[in-house]
Amino acid sequence: MKEKIKEIMAGILNVSVKDISENFGPEDAANWDSLNNLMLISSLESEFKIQFSMAEIQGMNTFSSIESTINSKL
Amino acid sequence: MKNKALNIEQKLKKVTDADKFFNLVTSIESEAQLFELAPVISRKIDEMKIPKSVNFALLGNFTLDLLAPYIKVSLARYRMIAKCYIAPFGQYFQEVIDSESGLYRFKQDYIILALDLRELSPLLYYQYAELDQADKEGECNRIVEHLTQWVNTVTNNLPSNILLCNIIPYNLPQLGVADSRESVSQFEFIESLNQKIRRLTKLSPQVHLLDVNLLALQTGLKNIIDPKMYYMAKIAWSSHFLNHIAWMILKLVYANQGMTKKCLVLDLDNTLWGGVLGEDGYRGIKVGSGDAISEIYRDFQYAIKSIKERGLLLSICSKNNLIDVEELFIARTDMPLKLSDFSAMQINWEHKHTNIEKISKELNIGLDSMVFIDDNPAEISLVEQMLPDVSCLLLPDVIETIPELFDTVPFFEKIVLLDDDRSKTEQYHHKKQRDEFKNNASPDLETYLHSLGTHLQMKAVDDMDIERIHQLVTKTNQFNLTTIRYSLSTIEKFVKDSNYDNWCYNVSDRFGNLGIVGYVLVKLEGQVVNIDSFIMSCRAMGRQIETAVINWLKQFYLIDGDYLSINAIYIKTVKNQPVKEMYLSQGFELINSDDSQSLYKLKRECANMIDCDWILLD
């Protein structure tokens, strides 16, 4: 599942999977603006068949926080 | 599935050639995968710098950015490149007034205007119940005036087409269940507002309605919104909805660019009706009222008729006897389609791609304006390979979805229907010209046959096969050399009788397993064998399986075995014309022949294998 999240992030943010470390965040990717963030949220929701709440999204700003939020919902 | 996605993604990133890129995009079959790859596809389109593109400008009073990748993917599926300009947030009016704006510099083919009622008239949206009638109408008129001004500004200054979205009432009904009794219910009010918006299309032929309200109905109001997206970023529409809107835009563009197809080429058996005419007879094929299967095909025929009403020509390409088909259309008056609905017919035993070329020449319609529809994946594959310009549609396995087939492609959309369109079929009746078409055996045909990956398995008939064999014996008319209708008990006796060999064969190819498709009954008489019956299901015809079967029989009896000859007989019927010369083409010698039958003999010393290496023997 870690791999899948990284793949999705890499596709939308136009980075390579291997660049995505635990603390990978908006400072590490030039393309990670608010709009791409929402595309990312959309893709993750579609892939894992879950819905994030606004509050959850506000906390999802690094790879590790994204992963743990998804885990908590599965 | 994961590996497949990765593969396509890698290929997409590496590709530089436009054609190969389009092939990759169209090869993506699942919606989910397309959605996942949308950012990659979208980026690739921007990178490739293909000069010819369809340009869109997105204007509105809410965030439209996310619509752009969906438009790009939707158009790429049909080999078009889309480029999108997104106007600064909320500045849909300023952009059209200011001649220095990004809009004027972008040179778009289409301007999409999407307005959310929440911004356009918060009064109407949030406070509908509080307003009196005069206020409501006042607001409505203000909106329509505002839009009219916007449309006129564009049509006076720009050549672009306008795709005008209507209003979606997300919070319907504010009055709850009492809405229907209100003197002006909210539902009716929004409807009347949308009707006035629809009339704006009369201002100029540049203006088209993008009926997002209808789309919202079809998709479900609950499915088209994502509240957090709206509150966080003013994105009114869910990804699911954006996908549907992009599809609607594609259909409009397809029609507007004049890409609409001109001719439908239709198979008959299991396409226009359930069953096979040659086996079930005109009484047995299923179409009309009374049972599920018949009604499905009846409804599909109605759908085909409506395509004809849009100005497309209908034609038939079927492996059947012409006389059987004519008889059927005369007898089955319960079918929506009549023979006179068709402008061309190629009903014979030749390969379909040859027939489609004949239809193309006869109607003087380019191959790229034709759509071929068949239930058989092998036929579809043949036409796709031999005539790549023709668009092919394979009927779905889930037959209850067949009547909706035409909704899944943009080929039949037109911007407006003219009286001229409705009478296209009659026009062609008068203009028909028949060319002599020279039949060239294409060297590529063998490549196609190889690509099928056909496997043949010969085996002795056992008790479990007898019912299927009996079915073949009683129902098969075309590939049936002697047409003797043995009963079930007679066949059982043959299987037990040591004077007979009962062979059956199973065929599979890359599309799947066709099951037991043939039966050969051989009588052993001293040093000679007689082929009493040789039967094959018509869905296995057309790839020389009989050659492989007879090769096997030659090997078994004459080369590996001690027999001196194989005798065979062809008994003529109205329906088995296709196999009249079969034994001759397999190297048999004609011994005797009259009006009703022909006798053949193959001597051991003349037993040669005939090449058909596209069939693999298991």
Side-chain angles (χ1 to χ4, degrees), chain B residues 116-183:
Chain B
D116 192 315
L117 196 58
R118 284 171 285 201
E119 306 290 325
L120 193 57
S121 176
L123 215 55
L124 268 182
Y125 189 89
Y126 294 107
Q127 296 175 269
Y128 181 81
E130 296 167 43
L131 297 173
D132 64 30
Q133 195 53 22
D135 291 335
K136 284 175 191 163
E137 279 168 34
E139 265 302 277
C140 183
N141 291 333
R142 182 188 70 78
I143 293 171
V144 175
E145 274 245 4
H146 181 66
L147 284 175
T148 309
Q149 265 189 7
W150 186 91
V151 168
N152 285 332
T153 311
V154 173
T155 55
N156 288 335
N157 295 300
L158 289 160
S160 326
N161 286 286
I162 299 171
L163 301 184
L164 193 65
C165 295
N166 49 11
I167 301 294
I168 303 174
Y170 305 106
N171 65 350
L172 202 74
Q174 273 210 320
L175 306 165
V177 298
D179 186 83
S180 61
R181 296 250 190 212
E182 269 293 293
S183 52

Coordinates of all heavy atoms in Angstrom, one line a residue, chain B residues 116-183:
Chain B
D116 N -22.3 29.0 -11.2 CA -23.0 28.4 -10.0 C -24.0 29.4 -9.5 O -23.6 30.6 -9.3 CB -21.9 28.1 -9.0 CG -22.3 27.3 -7.9 OD1 -23.4 27.5 -7.3 OD2 -21.6 26.3 -7.5
L117 N -25.2 29.0 -9.2 CA -26.2 29.9 -8.8 C -25.9 30.5 -7.4 O -26.4 31.6 -7.1 CB -27.6 29.1 -8.7 CG -28.8 29.9 -8.6 CD1 -29.0 30.9 -9.8 CD2 -30.1 29.0 -8.5
R118 N -25.1 29.8 -6.6 CA -24.7 30.3 -5.3 C -24.0 31.6 -5.4 O -24.2 32.5 -4.6 CB -23.8 29.3 -4.6 CG -24.6 28.1 -4.0 CD -23.7 27.0 -3.5 NE -23.1 26.3 -4.6 CZ -22.6 25.0 -4.4 NH1 -22.7 24.5 -3.2 NH2 -22.1 24.4 -5.4
E119 N -23.2 31.8 -6.5 CA -22.5 33.1 -6.7 C -23.4 34.0 -7.6 O -23.4 35.2 -7.3 CB -21.2 32.8 -7.4 CG -20.3 31.8 -6.8 CD -19.7 32.3 -5.5 OE1 -19.4 33.5 -5.4 OE2 -19.5 31.5 -4.6
L120 N -24.0 33.4 -8.6 CA -24.8 34.2 -9.5 C -26.0 35.0 -8.9 O -26.2 36.1 -9.2 CB -25.3 33.3 -10.6 CG -25.8 33.9 -11.9 CD1 -24.8 34.8 -12.6 CD2 -26.2 32.8 -12.9
S121 N -26.7 34.2 -8.0 CA -27.8 34.8 -7.3 C -28.0 34.2 -5.9 O -28.8 33.3 -5.8 CB -29.1 34.7 -8.1 OG -30.1 35.2 -7.4
P122 N -27.2 34.6 -4.9 CA -27.3 34.0 -3.6 C -28.8 34.1 -3.1 O -29.3 33.3 -2.4 CB -26.4 34.8 -2.7 CG -25.5 35.6 -3.7 CD -26.2 35.7 -5.0
L123 N -29.4 35.2 -3.5 CA -30.8 35.4 -3.1 C -31.7 34.3 -3.5 O -32.4 33.6 -2.7 CB -31.3 36.7 -3.8 CG -32.3 37.6 -3.0 CD1 -31.7 38.0 -1.6 CD2 -32.5 38.9 -3.8
L124 N -31.6 33.9 -4.8 CA -32.4 32.8 -5.3 C -32.1 31.5 -4.7 O -32.9 30.6 -4.5 CB -32.3 32.7 -6.9 CG -33.3 33.5 -7.7 CD1 -33.0 33.2 -9.2 CD2 -34.7 33.1 -7.4
Y125 N -30.8 31.3 -4.5 CA -30.3 30.0 -4.1 C -30.6 29.8 -2.6 O -31.2 28.8 -2.2 CB -28.8 29.9 -4.3 CG -28.3 28.4 -4.1 CD1 -28.3 27.5 -5.1 CD2 -27.8 28.1 -2.8 CE1 -27.9 26.2 -4.9 CE2 -27.4 26.8 -2.6 CZ -27.4 25.9 -3.6 OH -27.0 24.6 -3.4
Y126 N -30.2 30.8 -1.8 CA -30.3 30.5 -0.3 C -31.6 31.0 0.3 O -32.1 30.5 1.3 CB -29.2 31.2 0.4 CG -27.8 30.7 0.1 CD1 -26.9 31.4 -0.7 CD2 -27.4 29.5 0.6 CE1 -25.7 30.9 -1.0 CE2 -26.2 28.9 0.3 CZ -25.3 29.6 -0.5 OH -24.1 29.1 -0.8
Q127 N -32.3 32.0 -0.4 CA -33.5 32.6 0.2 C -34.7 32.5 -0.6 O -35.6 33.3 -0.6 CB -33.2 34.0 0.5 CG -32.0 34.2 1.6 CD -31.6 35.6 1.8 OE1 -30.7 36.1 1.1 NE2 -32.3 36.3 2.7
Y128 N -34.8 31.4 -1.4 CA -35.9 31.2 -2.3 C -37.2 31.3 -1.6 O -38.2 32.0 -2.1 CB -35.8 29.9 -3.0 CG -36.9 29.6 -4.0 CD1 -36.8 30.2 -5.3 CD2 -38.0 28.9 -3.7 CE1 -37.8 30.0 -6.2 CE2 -39.0 28.7 -4.6 CZ -38.9 29.2 -5.8 OH -39.9 29.0 -6.7
A129 N -37.3 30.7 -0.4 CA -38.6 30.6 0.3 C -39.1 32.0 0.8 O -40.3 32.3 1.0 CB -38.5 29.7 1.4
E130 N -38.1 32.9 1.0 CA -38.4 34.2 1.5 C -38.9 35.2 0.5 O -39.5 36.2 0.8 CB -37.2 34.8 2.2 CG -36.7 34.0 3.4 CD -35.3 34.5 3.9 OE1 -35.1 35.7 3.9 OE2 -34.5 33.6 4.1
L131 N -38.5 35.0 -0.8 CA -38.8 35.9 -1.9 C -40.3 35.8 -2.3 O -40.9 34.8 -2.3 CB -38.0 35.6 -3.1 CG -36.4 35.8 -2.9 CD1 -35.7 35.3 -4.2 CD2 -36.1 37.2 -2.6
D132 N -40.8 37.0 -2.7 CA -42.2 37.0 -3.3 C -42.0 36.8 -4.8 O -40.9 36.9 -5.3 CB -43.0 38.2 -2.9 CG -42.4 39.5 -3.5 OD1 -41.8 39.4 -4.5 OD2 -42.6 40.5 -2.8
Q133 N -43.1 36.6 -5.4 CA -43.1 36.3 -6.8 C -42.4 37.3 -7.7 O -41.6 36.9 -8.6 CB -44.6 36.1 -7.3 CG -44.8 35.4 -8.7 CD -44.1 34.1 -8.8 OE1 -43.8 33.4 -7.7 NE2 -43.7 33.7 -10.0
A134 N -42.7 38.6 -7.4 CA -42.1 39.6 -8.2 C -40.5 39.6 -8.1 O -39.8 39.7 -9.1 CB -42.6 41.0 -7.8
D135 N -40.1 39.4 -6.9 CA -38.6 39.3 -6.7 C -38.0 38.2 -7.4 O -36.9 38.3 -8.0 CB -38.3 39.2 -5.2 CG -38.6 40.4 -4.4 OD1 -38.7 41.5 -5.0 OD2 -38.9 40.3 -3.2
K136 N -38.7 37.0 -7.4 CA -38.2 35.8 -8.0 C -38.0 36.1 -9.5 O -37.0 35.8 -10.1 CB -39.1 34.6 -7.8 CG -39.0 34.0 -6.5 CD -40.1 32.9 -6.4 CE -40.2 32.4 -4.9 NZ -41.5 31.7 -4.6
E137 N -39.1 36.6 -10.1 CA -39.1 36.9 -11.6 C -38.0 37.9 -11.9 O -37.3 37.8 -12.9 CB -40.4 37.3 -12.1 CG -41.3 36.0 -12.3 CD -42.8 36.4 -12.5 OE1 -43.0 37.5 -13.1 OE2 -43.6 35.6 -12.1
G138 N -37.9 38.9 -11.0 CA -36.9 40.0 -11.2 C -35.5 39.4 -11.3 O -34.7 39.7 -12.2
E139 N -35.2 38.5 -10.3 CA -33.9 37.9 -10.3 C -33.7 37.0 -11.6 O -32.6 37.1 -12.2 CB -33.8 36.9 -9.1 CG -33.1 37.6 -7.9 CD -31.7 38.1 -8.1 OE1 -30.8 37.3 -8.1 OE2 -31.6 39.3 -8.4
C140 N -34.7 36.3 -11.9 CA -34.6 35.4 -13.1 C -34.3 36.3 -14.4 O -33.3 36.0 -15.1 CB -35.9 34.7 -13.3 SG -35.9 33.6 -14.7
N141 N -35.0 37.4 -14.5 CA -34.7 38.2 -15.7 C -33.4 38.9 -15.7 O -32.7 39.0 -16.7 CB -35.8 39.3 -15.8 CG -37.2 38.8 -16.1 OD1 -37.3 37.7 -16.7 ND2 -38.2 39.4 -15.7
R142 N -32.9 39.2 -14.5 CA -31.6 39.8 -14.3 C -30.5 38.8 -14.8 O -29.6 39.2 -15.5 CB -31.3 40.2 -12.9 CG -30.0 40.9 -12.6 CD -29.7 41.1 -11.2 NE -29.4 39.9 -10.4 CZ -28.3 39.2 -10.5 NH1 -27.3 39.6 -11.2 NH2 -28.2 38.1 -9.8
I143 N -30.7 37.6 -14.4 CA -29.7 36.5 -14.8 C -29.7 36.4 -16.3 O -28.6 36.3 -16.9 CB -30.1 35.2 -14.1 CG1 -29.8 35.3 -12.6 CG2 -29.2 34.1 -14.7 CD1 -30.3 34.0 -11.9
V144 N -30.9 36.3 -16.9 CA -31.0 36.0 -18.3 C -30.4 37.2 -19.1 O -29.6 37.0 -20.1 CB -32.4 35.8 -18.8 CG1 -32.5 35.6 -20.3 CG2 -32.9 34.5 -18.1
E145 N -30.6 38.4 -18.6 CA -30.0 39.6 -19.3 C -28.5 39.6 -19.2 O -27.8 39.9 -20.2 CB -30.5 40.9 -18.5 CG -31.8 41.5 -18.9 CD -31.7 42.9 -19.5 OE1 -30.5 43.3 -19.7 OE2 -32.7 43.4 -19.9
H146 N -28.0 39.3 -18.0 CA -26.6 39.2 -17.8 C -26.0 38.2 -18.7 O -24.9 38.5 -19.4 CB -26.4 38.7 -16.3 CG -25.0 38.6 -15.9 ND1 -24.1 39.7 -15.8 CD2 -24.3 37.5 -15.5 CE1 -23.0 39.3 -15.3 NE2 -23.0 38.0 -15.1
L147 N -26.6 37.0 -18.9 CA -26.0 36.0 -19.8 C -26.1 36.4 -21.2 O -25.2 36.2 -22.0 CB -26.8 34.7 -19.6 CG -26.4 33.9 -18.3 CD1 -27.3 32.7 -18.2 CD2 -25.0 33.4 -18.4
T148 N -27.2 37.1 -21.6 CA -27.4 37.6 -23.0 C -26.3 38.5 -23.3 O -25.7 38.5 -24.4 CB -28.8 38.2 -23.1 OG1 -29.8 37.4 -22.7 CG2 -29.0 38.6 -24.6
Q149 N -26.0 39.5 -22.4 CA -24.9 40.4 -22.6 C -23.6 39.7 -22.8 O -22.8 40.1 -23.7 CB -24.8 41.3 -21.4 CG -25.5 42.6 -21.5 CD -25.2 43.6 -20.3 OE1 -24.3 43.3 -19.5 NE2 -25.9 44.7 -20.3
W150 N -23.3 38.7 -22.0 CA -22.1 38.0 -22.0 C -22.0 37.3 -23.4 O -21.0 37.4 -24.1 CB -22.0 37.0 -20.9 CG -20.7 36.2 -20.9 CD1 -19.6 36.6 -20.1 CD2 -20.4 35.0 -21.5 NE1 -18.6 35.7 -20.3 CE2 -19.0 34.7 -21.2 CE3 -21.0 34.2 -22.4 CZ2 -18.4 33.6 -21.7 CZ3 -20.4 33.1 -22.9 CH2 -19.1 32.8 -22.6
V151 N -23.1 36.6 -23.8 CA -23.0 35.9 -25.1 C -22.8 36.8 -26.2 O -22.0 36.6 -27.1 CB -24.4 35.1 -25.3 CG1 -24.5 34.6 -26.7 CG2 -24.4 33.9 -24.3
N152 N -23.6 38.0 -26.2 CA -23.4 38.9 -27.3 C -22.0 39.5 -27.4 O -21.5 39.7 -28.5 CB -24.5 40.0 -27.2 CG -25.8 39.6 -27.6 OD1 -26.0 38.7 -28.4 ND2 -26.9 40.2 -27.0
T153 N -21.4 39.8 -26.2 CA -20.0 40.3 -26.2 C -19.1 39.3 -26.9 O -18.3 39.7 -27.7 CB -19.6 40.6 -24.8 OG1 -20.5 41.3 -24.1 CG2 -18.2 41.3 -24.8
V154 N -19.3 38.1 -26.6 CA -18.4 37.1 -27.2 C -18.7 37.0 -28.7 O -17.7 37.0 -29.5 CB -18.6 35.7 -26.6 CG1 -17.8 34.6 -27.4 CG2 -18.2 35.7 -25.1
T155 N -20.0 36.8 -29.1 CA -20.2 36.6 -30.5 C -19.9 37.9 -31.4 O -19.6 37.7 -32.6 CB -21.7 36.2 -30.8 OG1 -22.6 37.2 -30.2 CG2 -22.0 34.9 -30.2
N156 N -19.9 39.0 -30.8 CA -19.5 40.2 -31.5 C -18.0 40.3 -31.7 O -17.5 41.0 -32.6 CB -20.0 41.5 -30.8 CG -21.5 41.6 -30.9 OD1 -22.1 41.1 -31.9 ND2 -22.1 42.3 -30.0
N157 N -17.2 39.7 -30.8 CA -15.8 39.9 -30.9 C -14.9 38.7 -31.1 O -13.7 38.9 -31.4 CB -15.4 40.5 -29.5 CG -15.9 41.9 -29.3 OD1 -15.7 42.8 -30.1 ND2 -16.8 42.1 -28.3
L158 N -15.5 37.6 -31.0 CA -14.7 36.3 -31.1 C -15.4 35.3 -32.0 O -16.6 35.2 -32.0 CB -14.4 35.7 -29.7 CG -13.5 36.5 -28.8 CD1 -13.7 36.0 -27.4 CD2 -12.0 36.2 -29.2
P159 N -14.6 34.5 -32.8 CA -15.2 33.5 -33.6 C -15.5 32.2 -32.9 O -16.0 31.3 -33.5 CB -14.1 33.3 -34.7 CG -12.8 33.5 -33.9 CD -13.1 34.6 -32.9
S160 N -15.1 32.1 -31.6 CA -15.1 30.8 -30.9 C -16.6 30.4 -30.7 O -17.5 31.2 -30.6 CB -14.5 31.0 -29.5 OG -13.4 31.9 -29.5
N161 N -16.7 29.0 -30.6 CA -18.0 28.5 -30.2 C -18.2 28.6 -28.7 O -17.2 28.7 -27.9 CB -18.0 27.0 -30.5 CG -18.1 26.7 -31.9 OD1 -19.2 26.8 -32.5 ND2 -17.0 26.3 -32.6
I162 N -19.4 28.8 -28.2 CA -19.7 28.9 -26.8 C -20.4 27.6 -26.3 O -21.4 27.2 -26.9 CB -20.6 30.1 -26.5 CG1 -19.9 31.4 -27.0 CG2 -21.0 30.1 -25.0 CD1 -20.8 32.6 -26.9
L163 N -19.9 27.0 -25.3 CA -20.6 25.9 -24.6 C -21.1 26.5 -23.3 O -20.4 26.7 -22.3 CB -19.7 24.7 -24.3 CG -19.0 24.1 -25.6 CD1 -18.1 22.9 -25.2 CD2 -20.0 23.7 -26.6
L164 N -22.5 26.7 -23.3 CA -23.1 27.4 -22.2 C -23.7 26.4 -21.2 O -24.6 25.6 -21.6 CB -24.2 28.3 -22.8 CG -24.8 29.4 -21.9 CD1 -23.8 30.4 -21.6 CD2 -25.9 30.1 -22.7
C165 N -23.2 26.4 -20.0 CA -23.8 25.5 -19.0 C -25.1 26.1 -18.4 O -25.2 27.3 -18.2 CB -22.8 25.3 -17.8 SG -21.4 24.4 -18.3
N166 N -26.1 25.2 -18.1 CA -27.3 25.7 -17.5 C -27.1 25.5 -15.9 O -26.1 25.2 -15.5 CB -28.5 25.1 -18.0 CG -28.4 23.6 -18.1 OD1 -27.5 23.0 -17.6 ND2 -29.4 23.0 -18.8
I167 N -28.2 25.8 -15.2 CA -28.1 25.9 -13.8 C -28.5 24.5 -13.1 O -29.5 23.9 -13.5 CB -29.1 27.0 -13.2 CG1 -28.7 28.3 -13.8 CG2 -29.1 27.0 -11.7 CD1 -27.3 28.9 -13.4
I168 N -27.7 24.1 -12.1 CA -28.0 22.9 -11.4 C -28.5 23.3 -10.0 O -27.7 24.0 -9.3 CB -26.8 22.0 -11.2 CG1 -26.2 21.6 -12.6 CG2 -27.1 20.8 -10.4 CD1 -24.9 20.9 -12.5
P169 N -29.7 22.9 -9.6 CA -30.2 23.3 -8.3 C -29.7 22.3 -7.2 O -30.5 21.4 -6.9 CB -31.7 23.3 -8.5 CG -31.9 22.2 -9.5 CD -30.6 22.2 -10.4
Y170 N -28.6 22.5 -6.6 CA -28.0 21.5 -5.7 C -28.9 21.3 -4.5 O -28.9 20.2 -3.9 CB -26.6 21.9 -5.3 CG -25.6 22.1 -6.4 CD1 -25.2 23.4 -6.8 CD2 -25.2 21.0 -7.2 CE1 -24.4 23.6 -7.8 CE2 -24.3 21.2 -8.2 CZ -23.9 22.5 -8.6 OH -23.1 22.7 -9.6
N171 N -29.5 22.4 -4.0 CA -30.2 22.3 -2.7 C -31.7 22.1 -2.9 O -32.5 22.3 -2.0 CB -29.9 23.5 -1.9 CG -30.6 24.8 -2.6 OD1 -31.0 24.7 -3.7 ND2 -30.6 25.9 -1.9
L172 N -32.1 21.6 -4.0 CA -33.5 21.3 -4.3 C -34.0 20.2 -3.3 O -33.3 19.2 -3.2 CB -33.7 20.9 -5.7 CG -35.0 21.1 -6.4 CD1 -35.3 22.5 -6.6 CD2 -35.1 20.3 -7.6
P173 N -35.2 20.3 -2.8 CA -36.1 21.4 -2.7 C -36.0 22.1 -1.4 O -36.1 21.4 -0.3 CB -37.5 20.8 -2.9 CG -37.3 19.4 -2.4 CD -35.9 19.0 -2.3
Q174 N -35.8 23.4 -1.4 CA -35.7 24.1 -0.1 C -37.0 24.0 0.7 O -37.0 24.1 1.9 CB -35.5 25.6 -0.4 CG -34.0 25.9 -0.5 CD -33.7 27.3 -0.1 OE1 -34.5 28.2 -0.3 NE2 -32.6 27.5 0.6
L175 N -38.1 23.8 -0.1 CA -39.4 23.8 0.6 C -39.8 22.4 1.0 O -40.9 22.1 1.5 CB -40.5 24.3 -0.3 CG -40.2 25.7 -0.8 CD1 -41.1 26.1 -2.0 CD2 -40.4 26.8 0.3
G176 N -38.9 21.4 0.8 CA -39.2 20.0 1.2 C -40.3 19.5 0.3 O -40.4 19.9 -0.9
V177 N -41.0 18.6 0.8 CA -42.0 17.9 0.0 C -43.2 18.8 -0.4 O -43.9 18.5 -1.3 CB -42.6 16.6 0.7 CG1 -41.5 15.6 0.9 CG2 -43.3 17.0 2.0
A178 N -43.3 20.0 0.2 CA -44.3 20.9 -0.1 C -44.1 21.6 -1.4 O -44.9 22.3 -2.0 CB -44.5 22.0 1.0
D179 N -42.8 21.4 -2.0 CA -42.5 22.2 -3.2 C -43.4 21.9 -4.3 O -43.8 22.9 -5.1 CB -41.0 21.7 -3.6 CG -40.5 22.5 -4.8 OD1 -40.0 23.6 -4.6 OD2 -40.6 22.1 -5.9
S180 N -43.9 20.7 -4.5 CA -44.8 20.4 -5.6 C -46.1 21.1 -5.6 O -46.7 21.3 -6.6 CB -45.0 18.9 -5.7 OG -45.7 18.4 -4.6
R181 N -46.5 21.6 -4.4 CA -47.8 22.2 -4.3 C -47.7 23.7 -4.4 O -48.7 24.5 -4.5 CB -48.5 21.9 -3.0 CG -48.8 20.4 -2.8 CD -50.3 20.2 -2.9 NE -50.6 18.9 -2.5 CZ -51.6 18.2 -3.1 NH1 -52.4 18.8 -3.9 NH2 -51.8 17.0 -2.7
E182 N -46.5 24.2 -4.3 CA -46.3 25.7 -4.3 C -46.7 26.2 -5.6 O -46.5 25.6 -6.7 CB -44.8 26.0 -4.1 CG -44.4 26.2 -2.7 CD -45.0 27.5 -2.1 OE1 -44.6 28.6 -2.5 OE2 -45.9 27.3 -1.2
S183 N -47.2 27.4 -5.6 CA -47.7 28.0 -6.9 C -46.5 28.2 -7.8 O -46.7 28.1 -9.0 CB -48.4 29.4 -6.6 OG -47.6 30.2 -5.8

